[in-house]
Amino acid sequence: MEIENDVTTANGFDDVIPSSIKSDFNVAEHAQPESDDLSGKPLSNRLVATAPAVRKAAYLELAAILGGESGPPDAEAAAEHADHIPRLLADRAPICHEGALDATIAWLEYVSPEAVVGVAGAVAKALMEKHAPGKYQPKAIAALLSLLRRGGAEPVQSALEAGVRSKAPKTCAAALKASAEALLECGAAAFDAGPVVKQLPTLLQHRDKSVRDAAAALVGAVRHWLGDGIFSQLKGVPVDRLTALREAPLPPTKKHLLQRQGSSAAVVAPPPMAMPPLDLLAKLPRSKGSKEPADAWETQTLSDKWSERKAAADLVASLLEGQSSLKPADHGLVLRPLKRLYQDANVNVAASAIKATGLLAGLLGSDFSALARRTAPALLEKGADKKAVVAEAVRGCLAALSTGSCLTLAEAAELALAAMSKSTNTQLR
């Protein structure tokens, strides 16, 4: 029995003549590449073409249009192309990534904040997850910062926080780097580093070096707005690591144009990062089940070991450094043990206690007045100490009392005269 169109032989398909096979799939023998077919098509068609090479060329053309190379750019043109930007950034073809970033940066330069709102979330997410960890990281971070300044602060904040939490080291490091640059370029008024700072103790000890380095860079950026108070939040970080961070030079801040008015721009100086008042007594050690605040800390100031007494005084100083205010409390509970240490046989213990007193006085200001009158005589007496480390600490503490409005000039003179009249120490007099 013969079967129509059965052109096979005993040897299979080897003897089949291709033209004898009937098929409904009719494709020209020499099909033209898509780039030739779409070369004359509108830009909107080429932006979504199937061929990556066509899309790449279209992205670069869009970047040129938005960047003003094809005429003066304006907000209307940028708004017209807003819907294209998330699709460009989501492109999977590696050859298209740089063009997509170029177009995004050019778009953000002129788009209005109103036009950004609808796509900011998708743009921030794509920039952080897809591009910031990759080959074109500088351009991705530049786009994120531009989006931050163009009304996309909340989506950028969320994207960076998610990036820092990522288990992928490249993504985490990129998010930390972008966070540091956001602080340096835009300031604490535009970018809240608080949620990221909470994770720094862990990230500074991350197994991946790139994450550790990026976390250290963020510490430097935060110090511009928070001061050395950042170190009080780095609990659990090894002492040698903290020392290195303290000694590292601060990175330079960058001024950016956060407000635009026509072709002119005004530089806005962001305010310092707001810090909540420090609850000093709550930070000092307390015995388990005790109702007395800082009782374990006070016990440490009475230790037989001078190193433990010094550590107790140093703890107070480390908590106070870099702070801007203190929560109202009975700070006499802290001052009394410190004052007792002024007379410590070990000069380093005495110096540490006096330094901590100066920091406490500086933060409390006029609220320290009542305590200052009881403290000043003991300080004046220590001012005659021959040990430089003690004398220097006394001078610093007395300066804090005077500049912090803890004592009026008349009160200071009165206390000094009283100390002189009671003392036989010629150096003190």
Side-chain angles (χ1 to χ4, degrees):
M1 179 178 179
E2 293 184 0
I3 300 176
E4 185 180 2
N5 296 333
D6 186 356
V7 292
T8 61
T9 66
N11 295 324
F13 287 92
D14 292 344
D15 299 327
V16 174
I17 301 173
S19 60
S20 66
I21 301 176
K22 293 183 179 179
S23 172
D24 293 329
F25 187 65
N26 186 20
V27 180
E29 184 176 352
H30 301 291
Q32 297 297 315
E34 187 180 7
S35 58
D36 291 342
D37 293 339
L38 296 180
S39 58
K41 297 292 183 179
L43 176 61
S44 57
N45 289 37
R46 288 179 282 123
L47 287 171
V48 294
T50 303
V54 176
R55 297 199 303 275
K56 175 185 176 181
Y59 294 174
L60 293 174
E61 183 179 335
L62 177 60
I65 293 172
L66 294 173
E69 295 179 26
S70 304
D74 55 46
E76 283 189 22
E80 180 184 344
H81 294 287
D83 291 338
H84 291 300
I85 301 301
R87 286 203 301 270
L88 268 60
L89 292 172
D91 199 313
R92 295 183 179 181
I95 68 168
C96 297
H97 291 175
E98 186 173 20
L101 290 169
D102 287 341
T104 302
I105 292 171
W107 172 70
L108 286 167
E109 186 69 20
Y110 295 99
V111 69
S112 66
E114 293 75 19
V116 167
V117 173
V119 297
V123 170
K125 189 173 187 293
L127 286 170
M128 184 61 252
E129 294 181 359
K130 188 180 184 67
H131 298 281
K135 180 178 178 181
Y136 303 107
Q137 182 180 98
K139 290 188 176 183
I141 292 179
L144 280 167
L145 299 189
S146 187
L147 179 60
L148 176 68
R149 296 188 295 270
R150 276 299 189 189
E154 187 174 339
V156 170
Q157 183 93 37
S158 298
L160 293 184
E161 289 176 20
V164 170
R165 293 192 299 268
S166 173
K167 293 182 180 179
K170 283 187 176 181
T171 302
C172 181
L176 287 168
K177 183 175 181 181
S179 298
E181 293 196 21
L183 269 180
L184 292 173
E185 294 205 12
C186 302
F191 179 76
D192 178 16
V196 179
V197 168
K198 293 178 182 178
Q199 301 179 61
L200 282 177
T202 300
L203 297 172
L204 286 167
Q205 303 171 76
H206 198 278
R207 68 182 187 280
D208 189 275
K209 185 177 183 300
S210 65
V211 174
R212 296 196 303 271
D213 290 346
L218 180 57
V219 170
V222 173
R223 286 178 68 192
H224 276 290
W225 308 105
L226 192 61
D228 286 344
I230 177 63
F231 295 112
S232 66
Q233 301 185 38
L234 303 182
K235 303 298 183 184
V237 178
V239 175
D240 58 340
R241 182 66 165 149
L242 286 176
T243 301
L245 290 170
R246 286 179 186 274
E247 295 176 351
L250 291 178
T253 54
K254 302 171 184 178
K255 292 182 178 179
H256 249 290
L257 308 178
L258 301 183
Q259 289 183 345
R260 289 178 180 270
Q261 299 175 349
S263 60
S264 62
V267 177
V268 178
M273 183 182 290
M275 289 181 62
L278 173 69
D279 189 348
L280 179 59
L281 292 177
K283 294 290 185 179
L284 295 174
R286 175 190 292 189
S287 301
K288 187 176 181 180
S290 173
K291 295 182 180 180
E292 296 296 325
D295 64 319
W297 171 79
E298 184 175 4
T299 300
Q300 187 180 352
T301 66
L302 298 169
S303 172
D304 292 335
K305 297 180 179 180
W306 74 266
S307 58
E308 293 185 0
R309 299 194 300 274
K310 184 177 185 300
D314 287 341
L315 175 60
V316 175
S318 67
L319 290 170
L320 296 176
E321 283 179 337
Q323 297 295 325
S324 58
S325 61
L326 291 176
K327 187 175 181 179
D330 181 7
H331 291 104
L333 295 174
V334 178
L335 181 62
R336 284 188 287 273
L338 289 176
K339 185 179 175 183
R340 185 171 56 244
L341 293 178
Y342 297 173
Q343 308 302 326
D344 199 282
N346 188 293
V347 295
N348 293 308
V349 175
S352 291
I354 294 169
K355 176 185 175 183
T357 301
L359 290 167
L360 182 62
L363 285 172
L364 290 176
S366 59
D367 292 336
F368 193 77
S369 297
L371 298 174
R373 292 187 64 83
R374 297 197 297 268
T375 306
L379 288 170
L380 289 168
E381 185 177 343
K382 293 301 293 183
D385 200 296
K386 295 180 180 180
K387 297 295 184 181
V389 65
V390 175
E392 184 178 345
V394 170
R395 286 194 293 272
C397 187
L398 289 174
L401 291 176
S402 60
T403 59
S405 301
C406 303
L407 291 173
T408 65
L409 183 59
E411 288 173 329
E414 179 186 344
L415 290 169
L417 289 171
M420 289 170 60
S421 64
K422 294 178 182 179
S423 175
T424 57
N425 189 322
T426 56
Q427 288 187 321
L428 175 58
R429 294 173 67 88

